[in-house]
Amino acid sequence: MPIVAIIQDEKSLKRYLTKISCSPDERNRYICFCDCSLENSQYLIEKGFVETASEPVDDESKSKFMAEYLDLIGKVAELFNNREWWSSNMASKNRFTSQLALLLHQFMRAVNALKRDDFDHMIFLSPPWPIVNSLEIFIGHSSAHLVSRGNRFAQLKRLASAKSKAFGSLCFNVIKTSWRSFTVRRKLVISSISDLFISEAPTYVIKSFVYDHSFSTDSTYRDAFFGSLPEFLKKHKKVVILAVILGRFNYCIDKIKECSTTSVIPIECFLKQRDLLSAAWRLLNVKFRLCEKITFFGYNVTDLLNNLLLHPLNEIQFYHYIHYEATKNLLETVRAKTFLFTYENNPWEKMCMMAIRKFSPDTKIIGYQHTVVPQASANMFPGLREKAIQPMPDNILTVGAEPKRIMETYGNYDDDTIEAACGLRFEYLFDTKPAKRQRSGQILIALEGIFEVYKMVNYALRELANLPDYKVKIRTHPVLPIKAFQHQLTHDLNKVTNFSISKGTSLKDDIENSDIIIYWGTTVSLEALSMGKPVIHYDNGSIFSYDPLFKCSHFKWTVSENVSLRHVIDEIYSLEDSEFYARQEKAKSYLNEYFYPINEGSLAKFTGRNDKNINKG
């Protein structure tokens, strides 16, 4: 009888391997669900275990997984379908805040390894705890003998710690938001704010975000997400920016107070102490529990979902949740004719829409898809089941035609919901001229603010470290400096002669000074293409593509762990000039479909006026 061992930690692994005996003719396999240490890998190999490689994930597999994932979320949504569910990370399907897609992929990796039946002894090392129960159910229905090893007390301790931290975080956020609300009212003088709104004039509300750089030296406001749109709208309408402050709070409040050109009102102006306490009490009493069997590709994952939803406070962000109260209170003061916001299916968006639908049903809701849409953006793709019940905008405007096509391909939208408008945040791309070709050996690695980018850096180090023909510069994301993940790197960067970290130079300069840009999922790839630079996408084998250019095949190459990076770079350098510039031109044409330019006609779409004769160019 085959044996399947679920080993929770390294100590349990060593004890288990010490006790078992393996004959040379046994087929012994293992899957490590974490970054397996070199010591553990060596120990497993010495005992005759061979790592089971991940199966290649092609486009068809990704599409099938996406469809099944959307259907699963829809099943759960039909069972809950309340404010608390729609404010959860799981409901948002946001790839940065929800673990569900990754956990389902890891579960299916284990199931598929067991179904291949090419082993006598299989070890699953450190599987994420939410998937263990569902794995045990699957193994229980197979012919294999299950062995489970791990420190149960340590697991209970981790769960208790997570619950305690979540409660502490809720208390902290209630106090923080209360302080912010008090500060806003004191500094901005609530009576003067009220004077802005006590009017029967219909108002165009733009829900946006304020940073330090949103204000010029003379305190003129420039919206980071909507660019010139507020100024355009003010010619015809009364406009109010309902703002979440992401910059330095007191600094931005002072700038808002000095700003006389635009009405910028922090959402804290519309939050009262009783709203915060009431919301916190409701969250403390939330329970998500699935009693019906939920399947994924036919396999029971009910326990996986219940484990992930075990502590609702970990799934619901308080600040997102209270957008409902803030919007409700806003609508009691403002006659909002139109409500515009950045559309990413985040929990706060649905809180705003639920409040609008209840307290101001005549308000037109417009969502603006303001950035790129990689295939991993499951949050942008409502499933068929979700479509009928989840809060949705009346209209969605996109930055161009290509995002519209992607959203309609993977998501379930009515035919007239989405319309291509313009790239308000990408105005600078339209004036960018493609650069002349370079063969200097300068390579730029552009990182995003996700911890897993260390894998791409390790791949580049493995392929290019200390090779004098290549000079590699790593440009980190502002939220993730190199020190945050350098402990995961296979090389000491200080000892790699041809690698350096970008310091003190602009992104534009880094791109201009490079021949080729290597990326995983950052929008820098589009900027590089716009500037005429060839790009190389690093595919880490994830079940969804994080590549914002996943639909573009022009002037882009793809590498993975088993592909030679040097070979691809040399292939780019060896292109004939005619071929190089032809591909460059095709890439620019693709970007012209991705981002439409800003003009009077495209801006008019945000007012509900559509000029069908607008020349998109």
Side-chain angles (χ1 to χ4, degrees):
M1 177 183 292
I3 297 174
V4 179
I6 297 177
I7 311 296
Q8 299 286 3
D9 53 75
E10 294 184 2
K11 289 184 179 179
S12 299
L13 173 67
K14 291 180 179 179
R15 285 197 296 266
Y16 180 74
L17 291 177
T18 301
K19 291 179 180 179
I20 65 172
S21 59
C22 301
S23 62
D25 59 340
E26 282 185 344
R27 299 168 300 168
N28 299 322
R29 307 277 190 266
Y30 77 92
I31 293 178
C32 187
F33 289 88
C34 59
D35 289 321
C36 197
S37 69
L38 185 61
E39 181 183 358
N40 282 334
S41 298
Q42 190 63 37
Y43 199 25
L44 284 160
I45 291 169
E46 288 174 359
K47 295 293 288 187
F49 282 82
V50 177
E51 185 172 13
T52 297
S54 299
E55 293 181 333
V57 183
D58 56 21
D59 290 342
E60 183 180 0
S61 299
K62 291 179 179 180
S63 295
K64 287 180 179 178
F65 191 97
M66 176 66 78
E68 193 75 11
Y69 175 53
L70 297 180
D71 190 58
L72 180 145
I73 292 292
K75 293 174 188 175
V76 180
E78 288 175 338
L79 294 172
F80 293 131
N81 192 20
N82 56 28
R83 177 184 167 190
E84 285 67 39
W85 163 252
W86 294 118
S87 64
S88 70
N89 292 328
M90 187 182 290
S92 76
K93 307 190 296 289
N94 187 302
R95 64 191 187 276
F96 301 121
T97 59
S98 175
Q99 302 177 58
L100 181 57
L102 174 61
L103 291 173
L104 289 169
H105 185 212
Q106 291 175 319
F107 171 74
M108 291 305 301
R109 182 186 177 192
V111 166
N112 290 332
L114 296 175
K115 284 173 59 182
R116 285 197 294 272
D117 196 27
D118 61 351
F119 65 93
D120 298 305
H121 201 148
M122 173 69 77
I123 290 178
F124 292 140
L125 178 58
S126 300
W129 76 269
I131 77 171
V132 171
N133 296 57
S134 295
L135 266 181
E136 289 177 344
I137 290 173
F138 177 81
I139 296 167
H141 288 91
S142 71
S143 59
H145 173 64
L146 171 65
V147 177
S148 184
R149 294 287 186 272
N151 189 332
R152 296 287 184 182
F153 176 75
Q155 180 60 44
L156 291 173
K157 186 178 177 181
R158 283 194 293 269
L159 292 175
S161 175
K163 186 173 184 179
S164 176
K165 287 180 180 178
F167 177 75
S169 176
L170 175 64
C171 295
F172 172 79
N173 280 296
V174 170
I175 295 170
K176 178 182 177 180
T177 310
S178 297
W179 173 81
R180 283 189 161 201
S181 178
F182 171 78
T183 302
V184 165
R185 291 165 180 267
R186 177 175 58 83
K187 285 197 170 188
L188 295 185
V189 188
I190 195 63
S191 59
S192 64
I193 292 173
S194 300
D195 290 342
L196 292 170
F197 301 116
I198 300 174
S199 168
E200 289 300 312
T203 302
Y204 195 114
V205 178
I206 300 177
K207 172 67 173 56
S208 192
F209 303 86
V210 170
Y211 302 85
D212 292 0
H213 58 76
S214 299
F215 301 91
S216 62
T217 53
D218 63 353
S219 297
T220 301
Y221 177 75
R222 173 76 175 183
D223 196 276
F225 290 85
F226 294 98
S228 59
L229 179 65
E231 293 302 314
F232 172 84
L233 293 172
K234 282 194 293 184
K235 298 175 185 176
H236 313 283
K237 302 175 182 294
K238 179 181 178 182
V239 177
V240 168
I241 308 293
L242 180 62
V244 168
I245 297 176
L246 296 182
R248 290 175 294 168
F249 190 77
N250 285 316
Y251 174 85
C252 290
I253 292 296
D254 290 339
K255 286 295 183 181
I256 288 172
K257 187 175 182 179
E258 296 170 8
C259 180
S260 59
T261 57
T262 307
S263 297
V264 182
I265 312 298
I267 73 162
E268 285 82 2
C269 284
F270 302 102
L271 288 170
K272 304 169 186 176
Q273 188 67 29
R274 65 173 180 270
D275 295 325
L276 304 180
L277 295 176
S278 174
W281 177 253
R282 284 197 300 273
L283 291 181
L284 286 171
N285 289 279
V286 172
K287 290 183 180 179
F288 293 124
R289 188 70 187 174
L290 292 165
C291 298
E292 296 187 24
K293 180 180 177 181
I294 304 294
T295 60
F296 186 74
F297 284 108
Y299 303 110
N300 187 347
V301 293
T302 310
D303 283 343
L304 188 161
L305 294 166
N306 278 332
N307 286 339
L308 200 54
L309 294 168
L310 186 61
H311 301 310
L313 290 182
N314 290 325
E315 273 293 307
I316 300 174
Q317 298 179 53
F318 179 73
Y319 196 68
H320 285 237
Y321 189 71
I322 57 176
H323 272 67
Y324 182 93
E325 280 79 12
T327 306
K328 171 181 176 292
N329 293 335
L330 166 74
L331 295 170
E332 290 175 353
T333 316
V334 176
R335 189 159 75 89
K337 184 175 182 181
T338 307
F339 191 94
L340 171 68
F341 59 90
T342 52
Y343 175 68
E344 292 181 282
N345 195 34
N346 286 316
W348 67 260
E349 299 169 29
K350 286 177 281 194
M351 295 302 95
C352 291
M353 287 188 282
M354 290 182 79
I356 292 169
R357 296 297 187 209
K358 182 172 182 178
F359 300 104
S360 183
D362 293 333
T363 298
K364 182 179 178 64
I365 303 175
I366 301 176
Y368 176 53
Q369 174 268 317
H370 62 96
T371 186
V372 295
V373 187
Q375 192 224 15
S377 293
N379 50 307
M380 304 294 281
F381 313 136
L384 192 59
R385 295 172 184 265
E386 292 174 276
K387 175 186 172 183
I389 55 177
Q390 83 166 28
M392 289 283 288
D394 296 307
N395 295 104
I396 299 170
L397 299 175
T398 66
V399 296
E402 180 64 359
K404 178 180 184 293
R405 284 191 286 266
I406 293 171
M407 291 166 66
E408 290 177 337
T409 297
Y410 290 95
N412 292 271
Y413 293 96
D414 292 333
D415 291 341
D416 58 351
T417 298
I418 306 177
E419 184 177 6
C422 56
L424 294 171
R425 294 177 63 198
F426 299 92
E427 193 170 2
Y428 62 95
L429 290 181
F430 305 121
D431 298 324
T432 303
K433 303 298 181 185
K436 290 186 178 180
R437 187 177 193 180
Q438 298 174 187
R439 290 188 177 92
S440 65
Q442 299 279 356
I443 310 296
L444 178 67
I445 302 178
L447 307 182
E448 54 254 84
I450 306 173
F451 183 74
E452 286 74 12
V453 294
Y454 77 85
K455 297 176 183 178
M456 179 170 66
V457 177
N458 279 338
Y459 167 73
L461 285 166
R462 187 190 79 194
E463 295 288 310
L464 304 178
N466 297 315
L467 296 179
D469 290 342
Y470 308 103
K471 301 175 186 64
V472 183
K473 179 180 282 190
I474 301 172
R475 184 177 181 90
T476 58
H477 192 279
V479 303
L480 191 74
I482 197 77
K483 64 181 180 181
F485 60 87
Q486 62 185 4
H487 62 284
Q488 292 285 353
L489 300 182
T490 54
H491 294 63
D492 181 350
L493 289 175
N494 294 321
K495 297 179 180 178
V496 182
T497 57
N498 64 329
F499 273 61
S500 64
I501 307 297
S502 175
K503 294 180 180 178
T505 55
S506 68
L507 174 60
K508 183 174 181 291
D509 287 341
D510 277 345
I511 295 175
E512 285 181 342
N513 294 329
S514 303
D515 303 346
I516 299 167
I517 286 74
I518 302 173
Y519 73 101
W520 175 35
T522 176
T523 56
V524 172
S525 57
L526 288 95
E527 298 180 59
L529 269 193
S530 183
M531 294 170 68
K533 303 291 183 176
V535 296
I536 298 176
H537 172 244
Y538 171 75
D539 183 357
N540 70 346
S542 58
I543 191 60
F544 294 147
S545 174
Y546 282 70
D547 182 7
L549 295 167
F550 79 106
K551 287 288 188 180
C552 176
S553 58
H554 311 301
F555 221 40
K556 185 192 82 172
W557 287 256
T558 299
V559 295
S560 57
E561 288 294 328
N562 58 352
V563 174
S564 169
L565 178 58
R566 282 171 287 175
H567 176 77
V568 173
I569 292 173
D570 292 342
E571 178 186 334
I572 295 171
Y573 279 143
S574 65
L575 287 175
E576 296 290 338
D577 282 351
S578 58
E579 178 70 11
F580 182 92
Y581 289 117
R583 294 190 184 198
Q584 186 186 75
E585 184 60 33
K586 287 180 180 178
K588 188 67 173 177
S589 297
Y590 177 82
L591 292 181
N592 289 340
E593 283 292 296
Y594 208 105
F595 300 109
Y596 279 1
I598 303 165
N599 54 41
E600 289 280 326
S602 59
L603 292 175
K605 295 183 179 183
F606 289 86
T607 69
R609 294 186 289 113
N610 294 328
D611 184 350
K612 301 298 183 181
N613 297 317
I614 294 169
N615 182 351
K616 69 183 181 184

